[in-house]
């Protein structure tokens, strides 16, 4: 081979090697660029919009309802406070109805000391006891009043003479039984009702204002001095005391002597 041919062959080899090296370097640069771009896209971070390449659509920004980032606690909506978990099932508890809530009955202050009542009340009670103890029902007449201040002796309003009405309620024609009942009622404890109002009243017996279910054994004995055991059972079924009661206003007026609710 001539010297000239050897030189041509050597030049061709050098050109081929240079071409291969240049091509390899170019590919390595592109791969590195793509690798760097991928490394910058850290999971959980929002990538900025990159310029479109090769006519591709630009990347869209993530919506507000994007999935939570990795490692970030999942935010769940707060449960309805009316929903309770019961035995593995969802049970809905209805709001409490204020009207359905039964308020406890306020305690009744039972009084036995008559001096705790106003003086006019003390005086009227004393006069009634004296008249009833006499056995003469006519002695009640001046105490029963007349007209607008007449004592109510029946749950049914009428124009009948109050003494005549009381005789008719008695088990005997002279009205002695009703006088005995009147004495027994006034011998019990009493209560003040509607305090501070125009209807304020001192009432005998206190059973008229106290739940029969709340009576103590001694109080039941006191009640059975006025009524029979059968009457007491009927009252429990009825839901309250419904025998005779006496009411005297703070100014000493005898307001009522009636039986019933």
């Amino acid at each position: 081979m001539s010297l000239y041919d050897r030189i041509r062959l050597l030049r061709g080899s050098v050109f081929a090697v240079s071409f291969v090296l240049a091509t390899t370097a170019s590919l390595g640069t592109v791969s590195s660029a793509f690798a760097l771009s991928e490394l910058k896209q850290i999971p959980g971070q929002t990538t900025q919009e990159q310029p479109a390449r090769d006519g591709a659509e630009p990347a869209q920004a993530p919506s507000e309802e994007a999935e939570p980032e990795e490692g970030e606690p999942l935010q769940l909506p707060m449960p309805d406070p009316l929903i309770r978990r019961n035995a593995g099932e969802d049970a809905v508890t209805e709001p409490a109805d204020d009207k359905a809530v039964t308020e406890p009955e306020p305690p009744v202050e039972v009084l036995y000391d008559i001096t705790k009542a106003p003086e006019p009340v003390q005086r009227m009670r004393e006069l009634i006891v004296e008249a009833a103890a006499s056995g003469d029902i006519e002695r009640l007449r001046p105490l029963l009043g007349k007209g607008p201040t007449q004592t109510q002796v029946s749950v049914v309003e009428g124009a009948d003479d109050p003494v005549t009405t009381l005789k008719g309620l008695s088990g005997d024609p002279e009205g002695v039984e009703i006088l005995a009942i009147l004495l027994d009622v006034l011998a019990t404890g009493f209560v003040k009702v509607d305090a501070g109002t125009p209807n304020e009243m001192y009432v005998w017996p206190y059973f008229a204002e106290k739940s029969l279910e709340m009576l103590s054994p001694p109080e039941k004995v006191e009640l059975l001095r006025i009524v029979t055991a059968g009457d007491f059972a009927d009252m429990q079924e009825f839901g309250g005391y419904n025998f005779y009661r006496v009411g005297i206003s703070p100014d000493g007026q005898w307001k009522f002597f009636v039986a019933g609710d």
Side-chain angles (χ1 to χ4, degrees):
M1 178 182 297
S2 66
L3 179 59
Y4 178 76
D5 292 333
R6 290 180 180 179
I7 293 173
R8 289 178 60 188
L9 179 61
L10 180 58
R11 287 180 177 177
S13 299
V14 173
F15 177 80
V17 172
S18 299
F19 177 78
V20 171
L21 292 175
T23 303
T24 303
S26 177
L27 292 175
T29 302
V30 174
S31 300
S32 300
F34 276 102
L36 182 59
S37 175
E38 293 174 355
L39 288 175
K40 290 182 178 179
Q41 295 181 1
I42 301 175
Q45 292 185 349
T46 303
T47 58
Q48 297 181 351
E49 183 178 353
Q50 300 295 332
R53 293 192 301 269
D54 300 332
E57 293 292 333
Q60 299 294 328
S63 63
E64 295 181 357
E65 298 181 355
E67 294 293 331
E69 299 179 1
E70 183 178 354
E72 181 181 350
L74 182 61
Q75 299 295 327
L76 297 177
M78 294 299 293
D80 191 321
L82 297 181
I83 298 179
R84 300 290 184 268
R85 181 70 67 179
N86 182 18
E89 298 180 357
D90 287 336
V92 178
T93 303
E94 295 295 335
D97 186 354
D98 293 339
K99 296 182 180 179
V101 178
T102 303
E103 296 182 358
E105 184 177 340
V108 176
E109 183 183 6
V110 180
L111 304 174
Y112 286 91
D113 185 0
I114 189 60
T115 61
K116 292 185 177 181
E119 195 279 331
V121 175
Q122 299 179 41
R123 179 57 179 165
M124 176 55 73
R125 177 184 176 276
E126 181 181 1
L127 292 174
I128 295 173
V129 168
E130 290 177 354
S134 71
D136 183 4
I137 198 170
E138 284 294 333
R139 291 188 58 176
L140 291 179
R141 187 178 295 279
L143 306 177
L144 293 170
K146 295 180 180 179
T149 62
Q150 181 173 299
T151 305
Q152 180 184 357
V153 294
S154 174
V155 293
V156 180
E157 295 183 2
D160 293 342
D161 175 68
V163 173
T164 302
T165 299
L166 289 175
K167 284 184 178 181
L169 295 172
S170 183
D172 64 291
E174 288 78 22
V176 175
E177 183 188 47
I178 203 72
L179 294 177
I181 293 173
L182 182 56
L183 282 174
D184 286 341
V185 168
L186 290 174
T188 66
F190 61 99
V191 293
K192 181 170 70 172
V193 300
D194 298 327
T197 72
N199 296 322
E200 183 174 329
M201 197 90 58
Y202 291 83
V203 178
W204 287 259
Y206 64 88
F207 310 113
E209 300 296 329
K210 187 171 184 178
S211 171
L212 298 182
E213 302 298 327
M214 302 298 294
L215 297 182
S216 65
E219 290 174 334
K220 291 179 181 179
V221 172
E222 191 173 9
L223 175 59
L224 291 178
R225 293 176 61 186
I226 302 175
V227 301
T228 65
D231 293 334
F232 181 37
D234 291 340
M235 289 179 188
Q236 288 179 307
E237 184 177 353
F238 174 76
Y241 176 87
N242 57 7
F243 196 53
Y244 283 95
R245 68 197 74 188
V246 172
I248 302 176
S249 64
D251 61 356
Q253 290 188 37
W254 185 6
K255 288 294 187 178
F256 57 79
F257 175 45
V258 294
D261 183 35

